[in-house]
Amino acid sequence: SSGINAEWPLRPGLLHRTFGKISYKKESTYSIGSLGFRDNDCSRIDFTYCSVNSSELANDIEKQVSQFHSELRGSVNAGLTRNGTIALEFYEKKKARWPFAAEFFTWERWEIKVELVSATSTAEQQRRQEVIGSELAEKIFYVTQMINKSDYVPKTPDIANDIGNVYHTRYQDIHPYLFRIKHWLIDAPVNQSVGTSVRKLLNYT
């Protein structure tokens, strides 16, 4: 599995959790700008998926995935684990009264378990790529279904000063929900294919 393959669940997940730029006119009145999309081709798998057309967002995701892939490959080269997990969390910032710090609540979390494997032949490599491509299509459909059935998503704030409690404000052309990407290595085998190891863990209500 190449590093780029771990990006596919993150980008489609963020596709459904991102708005165009939100502009406030007055209290409780705002407009949402248009959101661009683009198709992405996996480099080693015959698979194409849709994502938000934002180079800033794409760069943020790529940095995290590249770091995860480097750590995993370094572990394999050192004779250690070849298994890892990368997670996409959406969270909300809750203001607290002085002198307490603000609290952060995760309201949705996805985990993608990955196993780095090496094919012993060209035929095996092609077979793996075909299987993974088919499973990715199934799991993107699954992710989309689960996101659309979400029990909870934060409400857009009524005033502009509070928008940073719900959305990231560092992007020039979009407002994604607050999110963070985490990754770590695990000792236990995944014992699952790449496709079936995608899980939605929780909703905060």
Side-chain angles (χ1 to χ4, degrees):
S1 173
S2 66
I4 191 67
N5 296 338
E7 291 186 25
W8 72 265
L10 306 182
R11 288 187 178 183
L14 280 162
L15 172 66
H16 296 277
R17 294 290 183 239
T18 301
F19 292 93
K21 202 68 175 178
I22 300 173
S23 302
Y24 285 82
K25 299 178 180 179
K26 57 182 180 179
E27 187 172 337
S28 300
T29 304
Y30 57 85
S31 61
I32 301 177
S34 60
L35 189 65
F37 307 98
R38 69 180 181 190
D39 290 334
N40 304 274
D41 296 322
C42 291
S43 58
R44 300 184 183 181
I45 297 175
D46 183 16
F47 185 76
T48 301
Y49 60 90
C50 186
S51 68
V52 176
N53 187 19
S54 168
S55 57
E56 291 178 301
L57 182 61
N59 288 338
D60 282 351
I61 296 173
E62 186 175 354
K63 287 177 183 177
Q64 292 290 334
V65 172
S66 295
Q67 183 180 356
F68 172 58
H69 181 248
S70 296
E71 291 175 1
L72 187 56
R73 184 165 294 280
S75 175
V76 171
N77 291 339
L80 304 174
T81 182
R82 59 177 62 245
N83 303 292
T85 300
I86 188 165
L88 172 64
E89 292 183 351
F90 294 98
Y91 65 95
E92 183 178 6
K93 183 179 178 181
K94 295 285 189 179
K95 289 183 177 180
R97 293 184 178 180
W98 187 90
F100 301 102
E103 296 181 281
F104 298 89
F105 294 97
T106 298
W107 53 271
E108 186 171 273
R109 175 184 170 98
W110 294 87
E111 279 193 5
I112 304 100
K113 297 184 182 297
V114 176
E115 181 179 4
L116 196 63
V117 298
S118 299
T120 58
S121 66
T122 302
E124 182 185 356
Q125 181 179 10
Q126 291 176 344
R127 181 184 64 81
R128 287 183 181 274
Q129 289 173 342
E130 291 173 358
V131 170
I132 292 175
S134 176
E135 290 183 343
L136 292 184
E138 292 178 4
K139 291 309 170 182
I140 280 189
F141 180 69
Y142 166 76
V143 169
T144 302
Q145 279 190 316
M146 293 299 294
I147 284 179
N148 289 335
K149 292 179 180 179
S150 180
D151 296 326
Y152 175 83
V153 292
K155 179 180 178 293
T156 299
D158 290 330
I159 58 176
N161 288 343
D162 289 341
I163 194 169
N165 296 331
V166 176
Y167 301 99
H168 274 301
T169 58
R170 67 174 182 268
Y171 300 104
Q172 293 184 358
D173 51 351
I174 58 173
H175 267 128
Y177 282 114
L178 290 172
F179 72 92
R180 52 198 165 206
I181 299 172
K182 300 179 178 179
H183 51 82
W184 59 92
L185 304 182
I186 54 178
D187 293 330
V190 173
N191 290 329
Q192 294 175 316
S193 64
V194 173
T196 56
S197 62
V198 179
R199 297 188 301 152
K200 181 180 180 181
L201 292 188
L202 61 86
N203 278 38
Y204 170 77
T205 56

